[in-house]
Amino acid sequence: MILSKSGWLSGIVLAGSLIASVVAAAADPIRIGIANFGEHPQLNASIAGFKKALAENGFVEGKDVVFTESHTNFDATLVPQMIEKLKAEKPKLIYTVTTPVSQIAKQQLAGSGINIVFTAVTDPVAAKLVPSWEAGDTGITGSSDLQDVAAVMEFTKKLLPEAKRFGVPYNPGEANDVAVLEKIKEAAPKAGFEVVPVGVDNVNDIQQRIASLKGKADVIYTPASNLLQPAIAAVSAAARQAGIPIVNSDDGAVRKGVVPASFAVNYEQVGMAAGKIAAEILKGKDPKEIPPFRPAYSDHSPLISKKVAGEFGIKIPAALDGCKCFAD
């Protein structure tokens, strides 16, 4: 077969176009959806850590990956719609922040081929996201923010040596809160605490429910609850009025002068753990082969505001003088 000069040129142009198309396709960044429950310092830190870890593992934002971020302002009824919108963009992976978002995403994305990496989930096994702490599930694994409640109680005893009754407000409708409460009940006898739980399923009930702990609790521990943490100022105000000091699960509230003390998981570290897992999945590893991350003791840190502690009537014990854990 003989080709004319114009035929050769056409072939060259066509081949060049095909090569350019292949190169362009190869250069397209990977799409990742981020489904957050709402704007909150802890959750935002987990997203920042996720992106940081991906970049450190070769997935730079804007070059190798692009993110579509969304949240529902803590409105659970809007989560299915958020997941569907992210799914429509056909991402390679969706990063789900908090237990409610992750549970809904697992249900809606089943069979879609879109992998899920979760974070800020206290107990992914109890939430039925993974079968055990030793393995992920089909298309899903991630990082937990499970606090070492025994360590929380140990710190609380150092701060408040005379405290014996451990008040725990929690949302009965949130799997995270229920899981934490059960772990607190397990650890309490050894720590010398009696647990005094109080259910709070509506922010409008915070004042009344916290007030009900007056005379019944010596300290209040507020877990990483999607209901309580966004309303921590209201919890603190009610606790102050009841004369009960607070140990919080988020150090941001200490830095802002809202609560006297915290023993908290570092949420940037939790997010970085999720980012490392996402990088493994993007490089071809099966999520089922990746166990969920659980924070170690070293991923926690205490923080105390001397000013707010004084306002709550807390006298800082001498044993904490050299702890390097003061915000002011």
Side-chain angles (χ1 to χ4, degrees), residues 11-48:
I12 291 170
V13 170
L14 178 59
S17 298
L18 288 171
I19 292 169
S21 297
V22 170
V23 171
D28 283 344
I30 297 166
R31 303 194 70 85
I32 294 178
I34 297 179
N36 191 7
F37 201 17
E39 292 284 344
H40 184 273
Q42 288 175 313
L43 306 184
N44 294 345
S46 73
I47 292 172

Side-chain angles (χ1 to χ4, degrees), residues 32-48 51 68-76 78-83 86 94-102 104-105 117-121 226 230 267:
I32 294 178
I34 297 179
N36 191 7
F37 201 17
E39 292 284 344
H40 184 273
Q42 288 175 313
L43 306 184
N44 294 345
S46 73
I47 292 172
K51 292 180 177 181
T68 299
E69 297 186 45
S70 185
H71 72 84
T72 66
N73 198 27
F74 299 100
D75 186 341
L78 297 178
V79 173
Q81 180 182 344
M82 173 176 66
I83 298 299
L86 292 173
I94 291 182
Y95 182 49
T96 58
V97 186
T98 74
T99 299
V101 173
S102 302
I104 293 170
V117 174
F118 58 74
T119 199
V121 172
N226 290 312
Y267 274 79

